[in-house]
Amino acid sequence: MSTTPARVAIITGGSRGIGRQTAGRLAADGFAIVVNYAHNEAEAQAAVDAVTDAGGQAISVRADVADETEVAALFDAAEEAYGGVDVVVNAAGQMSLSPIADFDLDAFDRMLRTNVRGTFVVNQQAARRVRGGGAIINFSTSQVGLLFPSYGGYAASKGAVEAITRILAREMRGRDVSVNAVAPGPTATALFFNGKDEETIARFAAQPPLERLGTPEDIAEVVAFLAGPGHWVNGQVVRANGGVI
């Protein structure tokens, strides 16, 4: 039987992209990992296997982040498996791009359900359950500041995430729990590449002074800092974008 881990992290959207990279990074720091996924059980299991093959502890739990009953069960599963929750990384998200005049409102509503309601529901459970010394880490986007055309709906949803983050940080007074958001710039994930041609990708890569796209590893390092030695950083939005703004 495995020993009880010192610290436990729930990662929503942990089956792929930045969430999956974060799972491996926090596991390397000694966290037991709860990989949350919405649909792709095989990808979630692959994320778990990557952690356990490296000698860590991990389980996967399916939950729709916007469903309060399923999210409560996600936290229950983490507590049952590992005894508590210390860090919540809310990496689940959707991105739909279109000029505001042409935006499909059904797509807009689906995006808001995951990005805004999902963040709110996950943060609500995290606020009730994360142990002292822990951290809640949400995901925004540097597009809140960049304001590129076609990102209106997505940036609006992530602006709400930033407001939730900053207010919750203040509501957690006296709990010794930090609450921050990471706001990546263009990052080499399937979510970013979807629907973009090579010219568009090259244009995004040229924008930062570091002259490349970010990587999931870059973002996972920021999350690991906020989950560990960066505990004094609180109520902030960290623009992890290579200096593009």
Side-chain angles (χ1 to χ4, degrees):
M1 181 179 293
S2 60
T3 59
T4 301
R7 303 188 80 198
V8 180
I10 293 174
I11 303 174
T12 72
S15 65
R16 61 184 184 136
I18 291 169
R20 181 166 176 173
Q21 187 65 39
T22 298
R25 180 63 182 81
L26 293 185
D29 282 347
F31 282 85
I33 305 299
V34 179
V35 175
N36 160 251
Y37 67 99
H39 304 294
N40 198 323
E41 184 177 2
E43 287 289 339
Q45 187 58 49
V48 167
D49 291 344
V51 170
T52 57
D53 289 349
Q57 298 182 66
I59 60 171
S60 64
V61 180
R62 197 206 71 80
D64 173 357
V65 293
D67 185 307
E68 63 272 29
T69 301
E70 293 186 11
V71 170
L74 167 65
F75 278 75
D76 289 344
E79 291 173 349
E80 181 178 350
Y82 299 123
V85 178
D86 300 285
V87 169
V88 175
V89 180
N90 188 42
Q94 290 190 22
M95 182 170 68
S96 295
L97 303 180
S98 172
I100 291 169
D102 303 323
F103 212 114
D104 180 87
L105 292 181
D106 287 337
F108 183 68
D109 287 343
R110 288 192 298 272
M111 184 169 61
L112 291 184
R113 186 177 186 277
T114 297
N115 295 0
V116 181
R117 181 183 169 90
T119 296
F120 199 95
V121 169
V122 170
N123 278 226
Q124 186 175 66
Q125 285 296 319
R128 296 169 180 172
R129 304 216 207 181
V130 168
R131 296 186 287 206
I136 301 167
I137 302 164
N138 293 319
F139 268 80
S140 180
T141 174
S142 285
Q143 287 296 339
V144 172
L146 289 169
L147 304 175
F148 287 175
S150 297
Y151 281 83
Y154 183 61
S157 74
K158 294 301 189 175
V161 170
E162 294 189 8
I164 292 166
T165 299
R166 289 181 162 129
I167 290 170
L168 183 58
R170 288 150 179 79
E171 292 179 349
M172 296 298 284
R173 175 178 293 275
R175 291 276 303 279
D176 190 27
V177 173
S178 64
V179 187
N180 294 288
V182 179
T187 305
T189 65
L191 187 69
F192 170 76
F193 288 127
N194 184 40
K196 294 182 176 68
D197 59 27
E198 290 298 322
E199 180 181 353
T200 300
I201 293 168
R203 186 168 65 250
F204 274 100
Q207 288 170 348
L210 297 179
E211 294 189 326
R212 65 173 176 83
L213 295 175
T215 67
E217 291 85 354
D218 291 326
I219 308 306
E221 288 294 337
V222 178
V223 175
F225 173 72
L226 295 173
H231 189 63
W232 188 237
V233 179
N234 192 24
Q236 305 301 312
V237 177
V238 180
R239 305 275 186 227
N241 57 32
V244 68
I245 57 172

